[in-house]
Amino acid sequence: MRNEHWDQVMKIYLDGIATGNATFQTEAPSWEEWDAGHTFQCRLIATLEGVIVGWTALSPISNRCVYEGVAEVSVYVSPEYKGRGIGKLLYQDLIRESEEKGYWTLQASIFPENRASLNLHKQFGFRKVGIRQRIGKLNGVWRDVVLLERRSKVQGNN
């Protein structure tokens, strides 16, 4: 994913925001803000006939060097293309690429109401670490998130 993809990526992100169950964000950031908050590696887009229909990216969880192999996952699929396996394809590529780049733990914070996302993550070996209760407010309402993590079988095992 590059800055020339941002308009299409942002539209998918805005669709996720509109559900009220994808993120605490209430508006999409500028490309510059988004770019600064995500790793350069592992930014992937899924396209069909030249149209971006999904994307995934990683965010560092800390700037401390001991956590350089740990990242938070974002995966978004356009509502018009949900149920077609695009999320699965993105995850297959994301896991492969993240392990090639040395990541040993991927984590996700998902609203409990977002069952489709929870199921997708579980299919790829994410385990429930716990529930972070009332971790933040979205539109004035306290929300919980389910904290999931996936440990690589090829990185971080020595």
Side-chain angles (χ1 to χ4, degrees):
M1 177 192 318
R2 297 182 302 274
N3 62 347
E4 61 263 25
H5 301 129
W6 182 241
D7 286 343
Q8 291 182 69
V9 167
M10 182 177 60
K11 182 188 178 318
I12 296 168
Y13 191 44
L14 287 169
D15 288 336
I17 289 171
T19 70
N21 285 325
T23 178
F24 278 105
Q25 293 292 118
T26 57
E27 57 187 46
S30 68
W31 164 255
E32 292 76 19
E33 291 171 302
W34 188 92
D35 184 47
H38 292 80
T39 66
F40 182 72
Q41 303 161 325
C42 305
R43 297 177 179 189
L44 306 172
I45 56 172
T47 61
L48 284 173
E49 299 176 3
V51 175
I52 296 174
V53 297
W55 62 271
T56 187
L58 299 179
S59 302
I61 62 142
S62 174
N63 60 4
R64 296 176 59 199
C65 64
V66 297
Y67 297 113
E68 67 186 9
V70 182
E72 184 164 3
V73 177
S74 295
V75 176
Y76 287 80
V77 175
S78 176
E80 302 93 70
Y81 294 92
K82 288 194 181 210
R84 298 188 189 186
I86 293 165
K88 290 179 183 179
L89 292 172
L90 282 166
Y91 248 119
Q92 288 170 352
D93 288 347
L94 175 67
I95 289 168
R96 178 189 44 75
E97 187 167 324
S98 69
E99 289 178 336
E100 287 173 4
K101 301 296 184 192
Y103 288 91
W104 59 80
T105 299
L106 299 178
Q107 70 179 38
S109 296
I110 302 171
F111 292 125
E113 298 84 0
N114 194 342
R115 301 241 181 258
S117 186
L118 289 169
N119 289 336
L120 176 65
H121 285 78
K122 287 178 184 174
Q123 288 177 40
F124 285 93
F126 281 77
R127 70 175 183 87
K128 180 178 172 181
V129 175
I131 296 178
R132 301 183 79 188
Q133 297 179 335
R134 297 172 48 95
I135 193 68
K137 284 186 176 181
L138 177 60
N139 298 320
V141 177
W142 286 105
R143 300 289 299 267
D144 298 346
V145 296
V146 180
L147 180 60
L148 304 170
E149 74 174 9
R150 180 190 186 278
R151 287 297 305 244
S152 170
K153 292 182 171 86
V154 299
Q155 291 292 340
N157 296 316
N158 53 2

